[in-house]
Amino acid sequence: MIRFFNTMSGKLDEFRPLEEGVVKLYTCGPTVYDYAHIGNFRAYIFEDLLKRFLLFKGYKVKHVMNITDVEDKIIRAATELGVSLQQYTKNYTDAFFQDLERLNILPADVYPRATEHIPEMVEMVRALLDKGFAYHKDGSYYFDISRFPDYGRLSKIDMDARKVGVRIDSDEYEKESVHDFALWKAQKEGEFFWDTELGPGRPGWHIECSVMSSKYLGDSFDIHCGGVDNIFPHHENEIAQSEAYSGKRFVRYWLHCQHLVRDGQKMSKSQGNTISIRELTTEHGADPMALRLLLLSTHYRKMLNFTFDALHQAGSSLQRIRDFLYELETRSFHEGDTAPVEDLLRAGEAEFESGLGDDLNISTALSAIFGLIKKANILLSREEISVKGAVLLVAAVRSWDRVLGILPAREPQVLPDEIKHKIDERERARAAKDFALADSIRDELLARGIALEDAKEGVRWKTVPPARPKK
Ligand code: AMP
Ligand code: ZN
């Protein structure tokens, strides 16, 4: 059984998709007014873990992630710079896709852009007006939440005590009620607008997700994700718009991840405490896969405090897995029995799968991997692993990595001639019993990220990460 914590029900619910064997998944994507930070990527990596686990369990997954390329901050910045929205957002959209690739995040099936769905948004606002859920005031259109009795069910907000939500532009527009939110905003002097049958203006932020999810996944679909900051008002408003429009239940499972924080503060632009992926990898020399492992390894519903020490530790854990595979893939093994390995694998596989099936319990899944490595290393040291046993172990780790995604296929590594000459020189020094020279060459190579090992089969080499990311 697979179960997930559903924000809507407030409990762990057994997961069953609407259509057997197929999962329809919508995840709120980036607002491309700046580079996405590692807090954003905590959300995208949690969603990637969820998706990879469902694929691992044999489901087909249809995944849609929107790109918010029109929004207050984008409009303001593009207007100030005197460029079009497209010109402004292109760089950040391209950077976002590069970062997804760098972090080995599986691509969505569709990345719809808000600016490419204006007619559909106009049509949804028009329908909400016709059905009496929306009203018009001073060129803008609002959703009347008093007409939607279920409002607040997802976020469990106290409707009486509620203050105006962060993203609702209540100070910028007059409204019948402070609780209502903008569907379509009237054009402001000097700002970018679309001339539509609703009048000149631009869409509110929430309407794009209602429109694009139903266009690509249907009026009702299985899973909708985001960070906890999306619960209110964004997802609450999406539910109101979509269910008022279609008369059907919008989403069956709502999954939200907790924030990534730094020194106790949510990582966000407004706090000024963000770090982008490019900053981490280029300025601090971080390994993107160590970052991926770090972001994965705290359960998604717990707060994750980012520190460089934690990143360094994640790098060491990753190296343990890489070293294990390296041993299995480069050593020579004897023919023989696979029983000891098979026993380890049976226990490990059950732990890995049942852990993840229980609301993506990553601690259990990681302890299955590291437990396996520890026990298999003991067998390795006793030379109790056969050729077939080694193959089974490699296959198991690679198969679990379909879920974790931390061991992407690397280009076959070729040593530069200069390094090869150094290795030969060290071999000659060893043969001549000049161990001081041999050791100094070995240390020099290690400092350059090449570790040498004298095995039965001869000298082996592997790349090792830089000593420690620079702070
Ligand atoms: P935004 O571009 O602000 O709309 O955010 C994109 C996604 O990142 C949303 O799902 C947010 O909930 C999520 N997010 C933003 N900041 C954080 C954070 N510090 N930790 C985790 N998720 C975040
Ligand atoms: Zn959204």
Side-chain angles (χ1 to χ4, degrees):
M1 180 178 72
I2 297 180
R3 51 184 204 159
F4 297 129
F5 184 86
N6 188 348
T7 309
M8 182 60 91
S9 68
K11 61 182 178 54
L12 291 164
D13 285 342
E14 179 174 357
F15 177 68
R16 283 177 190 281
L18 278 166
E19 185 187 332
E20 204 176 319
V22 180
V23 179
K24 294 189 175 153
L25 169 70
Y26 187 90
T27 58
C28 288
T31 304
V32 281
Y33 85 101
D34 202 342
Y35 297 113
H37 56 74
I38 59 172
N40 301 128
F41 278 96
R42 177 179 201 201
Y44 306 139
I45 281 186
F46 136 66
E47 291 153 1
D48 191 49
L49 177 72
L50 168 69
K51 174 174 164 182
R52 282 170 175 269
F53 177 61
L54 292 167
L55 290 167
F56 181 80
K57 294 297 285 181
Y59 290 102
K60 283 201 176 96
V61 178
K62 173 137 196 213
H63 176 200
V64 178
M65 177 184 265
N66 65 306
I67 304 284
T68 302
D69 59 354
V70 49
E71 182 265 356
D72 292 348
K73 293 186 289 286
I74 295 176
I75 294 186
R76 227 172 283 139
T79 311
E80 269 168 27
L81 292 172
V83 296
S84 71
L85 294 186
Q86 282 77 4
Q87 280 168 324
Y88 182 79
T89 55
K90 184 175 184 316
N91 172 40
Y92 300 114
T93 311
D94 291 349
F96 174 69
F97 286 116
Q98 281 165 13
D99 288 346
L100 287 182
E101 222 176 290
R102 244 184 243 175
L103 289 175
N104 200 23
I105 293 176
L106 296 179
D109 297 278
V110 196
Y111 289 103
R113 273 123 165 119
T115 53
E116 290 168 4
H117 294 77
I118 302 294
E120 291 95 327
M121 294 193 224
V122 169
E123 143 50 33
M124 191 178 273
V125 176
R126 166 66 51 209
L128 289 172
L129 272 174
D130 292 347
K131 290 177 181 228
F133 287 102
Y135 58 91
H136 181 212
K137 177 122 184 145
D138 299 336
S140 293
Y141 294 80
Y142 299 92
F143 189 96
D144 178 355
I145 60 169
S146 68
R147 294 274 294 111
F148 190 75
D150 268 357
Y151 196 82
R153 246 180 72 209
L154 181 75
S155 55
K156 281 99 188 150
I157 47 156
D158 174 354
M159 293 293 282
D160 299 330
R162 206 191 118 232
K163 303 229 162 51
V164 181
V166 183
R167 297 237 191 198
I168 302 177
D169 292 349
S170 56
D171 47 342
E172 295 182 40
Y173 298 99
E174 266 188 67
K175 280 181 271 178
E176 313 273 331
S177 150
V178 289
H179 295 237
D180 295 345
F181 59 91
L183 296 164
W184 183 263
K185 302 182 186 190
Q187 182 208 353
K188 278 203 252 166
E189 193 60 35
E191 273 193 2
F192 195 85
F193 67 98
W194 282 266
D195 211 359
T196 71
E197 62 170 287
L198 297 174
R202 59 192 168 89
W205 173 41
H206 316 293
I207 195 84
E208 69 176 87
C209 287
S210 284
V211 160
M212 299 195 282
S213 59
S214 69
K215 175 165 177 179
Y216 297 99
L217 298 175
D219 290 333
S220 295
F221 58 93
D222 300 299
I223 308 181
H224 195 315
C225 299
V228 286
D229 56 319
N230 284 156
I231 299 173
F232 188 85
H234 184 48
H235 290 165
E236 197 73 74
N237 292 352
E238 278 186 42
I239 295 171
Q241 294 164 155
S242 293
E243 296 194 354
Y245 175 77
S246 73
K248 296 182 198 149
R249 182 165 160 203
F250 179 39
V251 168
R252 289 157 49 85
Y253 302 89
W254 288 92
L255 271 64
H256 294 99
C257 73
Q258 254 303 346
H259 286 143
L260 179 130
V261 298
R262 243 183 131 179
D263 305 321
Q265 299 275 11
K266 177 192 171 194
M267 182 171 284
S268 70
K269 277 271 140 199
S270 54
Q271 293 286 345
N273 62 354
T274 59
I275 314 181
S276 65
I277 308 296
R278 51 213 55 228
E279 238 176 285
L280 260 192
T281 50
T282 52
E283 287 172 32
H284 299 273
D287 175 348
M289 289 304 96
L291 176 64
R292 182 178 167 100
L293 179 57
L294 173 67
L295 295 180
L296 275 180
S297 52
T298 296
H299 187 256
Y300 76 94
R301 286 196 290 121
K302 291 202 182 111
M303 211 100 89
L304 165 60
N305 188 38
F306 175 82
T307 63
F308 281 93
D309 275 344
L311 179 60
H312 180 65
Q313 275 164 28
S316 308
S317 301
L318 180 62
Q319 193 59 34
R320 253 167 57 220
I321 308 178
R322 287 178 178 157
D323 285 349
F324 180 62
L325 286 178
Y326 169 78
E327 286 298 323
L328 293 170
E329 287 170 341
T330 57
R331 267 211 206 179
S332 52
F333 296 94
H334 54 81
E335 292 297 329
D337 189 12
T338 54
V341 165
E342 281 183 60
D343 287 346
L344 287 186
L345 288 179
R346 243 190 313 278
E349 270 158 11
E351 195 184 359
F352 184 82
E353 279 198 50
S354 64
L356 288 173
D358 187 17
D359 196 30
L360 300 179
N361 189 333
I362 190 72
S363 314
T364 310
L366 290 177
S367 100
I369 286 220
F370 289 108
L372 177 88
I373 292 178
K374 196 169 164 194
K375 289 176 200 145
N377 273 334
I378 296 174
L379 294 181
L380 262 174
S381 67
R382 294 194 201 136
E383 306 210 340
E384 283 174 14
I385 292 185
S386 63
V387 181
K388 258 187 165 166
V391 170
L392 288 178
L393 282 168
V394 170
V397 175
R398 296 260 176 227
S399 135
W400 295 351
D401 192 55
R402 282 166 37 218
V403 185
L404 301 176
I406 49 178
L407 303 165
R410 292 173 161 192
E411 297 288 312
Q413 290 178 320
V414 181
L415 283 180
D417 281 345
E418 181 226 351
I419 302 272
K420 282 192 206 144
H421 292 151
K422 290 262 174 211
I423 295 177
D424 293 343
E425 194 185 333
R426 176 173 170 272
E427 281 303 276
R428 283 195 296 275
R430 274 182 1 123
K433 301 213 178 322
D434 185 352
F435 295 115
L437 177 60
D439 287 352
S440 82
I441 296 174
R442 179 185 171 131
D443 292 346
E444 182 195 333
L445 291 179
L446 189 60
R448 294 169 68 175
I450 308 277
L452 299 185
E453 235 178 12
D454 302 312
K456 272 195 308 216
E457 303 79 18
V459 188
R460 298 188 299 178
W461 61 270
K462 65 180 175 184
T463 51
V464 286
R468 200 178 172 90
K470 287 177 267 145
K471 295 200 183 176

